[in-house]
Amino acid sequence: MNDVTEALIVIDVQNDFCPGGALAVEGGDEIIPRINRLMQEVPVVVLTQDWHPEEHSSFAALHGQAPFSQIDMPYGPQTLWPSHCVWGSKGAEFHPHLDIDPADLVIRKGFRPQIDSYSAFFENDHKTPTGLAGYLRERGITDLTLVGLALDFCVAWSAIDAVKLGFNVRVLEGACRAIDLGGSLAAARAAMIDAGVALEV
Ligand code: VGL
Ligand code: ZN
């Protein structure tokens, strides 16, 4: 019998999203002690890792454009980022204070050069699956708690996709930090509430 139905999804707690990193999120490292405690409490733990090839199409430098500008990709609008989480680099590693041992699964995303992947479930075309939903369903997981970086991008996109896939989803905002680019935090919070994500402290 399977009585384990809850999983903790820890989004992108990597060096490049923490202070000193290439796409640093303010206070990104402050959430780590709480996440480490949560990993002891929740029976199934999944970590995501943003994992880009050196020439990834979400990198501003590849397009000769300024970071944080936007372009149109075949799959829709795409924000251009400073180069970050290049696979094999220090910046792509999990933050050294994150206790990664309790993790059952590490899922990497964003490894295809031509498409970005904010969500832990689908790439930014909203169609190409990462395989995470199948993994969770096969293990009988119905309830997800999401934490990590960044609240207004990868956490929000993951949470909204998770609801669409039929999971009960809560986001612990106190265990997240946001990039907040041109109102993206307010927009992401509204979109999560609208989708049926429970926002908790
Ligand atoms: C993220 C921008 C680019 C995130 C990843 O983890 O929120 N944001 N790649
Ligand atoms: Zn990325």
Side-chain angles (χ1 to χ4, degrees):
M1 202 192 85
N2 176 37
D3 52 7
V4 173
T5 58
E6 191 192 350
L8 177 72
I9 315 289
V10 181
I11 305 288
D12 299 359
V13 182
Q14 295 165 256
N15 288 324
D16 269 345
F17 296 122
C18 290
L23 181 42
V25 182
E26 203 182 324
D29 55 343
E30 295 168 6
I31 62 178
I32 294 172
R34 183 170 174 200
I35 293 175
N36 285 341
R37 287 195 297 277
L38 284 164
M39 285 198 278
Q40 302 297 327
E41 293 161 14
V42 182
V44 173
V45 176
V46 175
L47 310 179
T48 70
Q49 193 170 24
D50 210 42
W51 195 252
H52 300 309
E54 211 169 295
E55 309 232 313
H56 191 253
S57 57
S58 76
F59 293 171
L62 203 78
H63 304 269
Q65 290 209 38
F68 309 109
S69 59
Q70 281 226 354
I71 54 162
D72 286 312
M73 296 289 279
Y75 53 83
Q78 170 73 49
T79 301
L80 295 176
W81 303 105
S83 299
H84 64 278
C85 297
V86 173
W87 60 37
S89 72
K90 203 83 194 150
E93 290 175 13
F94 291 111
H95 190 284
H97 295 164
L98 186 72
D99 177 16
I100 60 176
D101 292 344
D104 295 9
L105 177 74
V106 174
I107 190 141
R108 289 172 170 167
K109 59 185 182 61
F111 48 75
R112 290 191 176 87
Q114 298 307 331
I115 184 167
D116 207 1
S117 187
Y118 294 156
S119 166
F121 295 95
F122 293 102
E123 304 202 4
N124 285 10
D125 61 0
H126 300 285
K127 284 199 274 277
T128 309
T130 62
L132 179 57
Y135 174 86
L136 295 170
R137 284 180 183 142
E138 204 164 353
R139 291 196 58 180
I141 304 297
T142 53
D143 292 58
L144 305 181
T145 299
L146 273 73
V147 298
L149 305 169
L151 175 58
D152 45 346
F153 288 92
C154 292
V155 175
W157 285 50
S158 299
I160 291 166
D161 280 346
V163 172
K164 286 184 186 154
L165 289 162
F167 295 98
N168 301 316
V169 185
R170 66 173 184 158
V171 168
L172 303 181
E173 289 190 279
C176 299
R177 290 293 184 273
I179 296 173
D180 203 10
L181 189 65
S184 59
L185 176 56
R189 292 189 81 247
M192 284 192 280
I193 292 167
D194 198 46
V197 175
L199 296 181
E200 298 181 15
V201 289

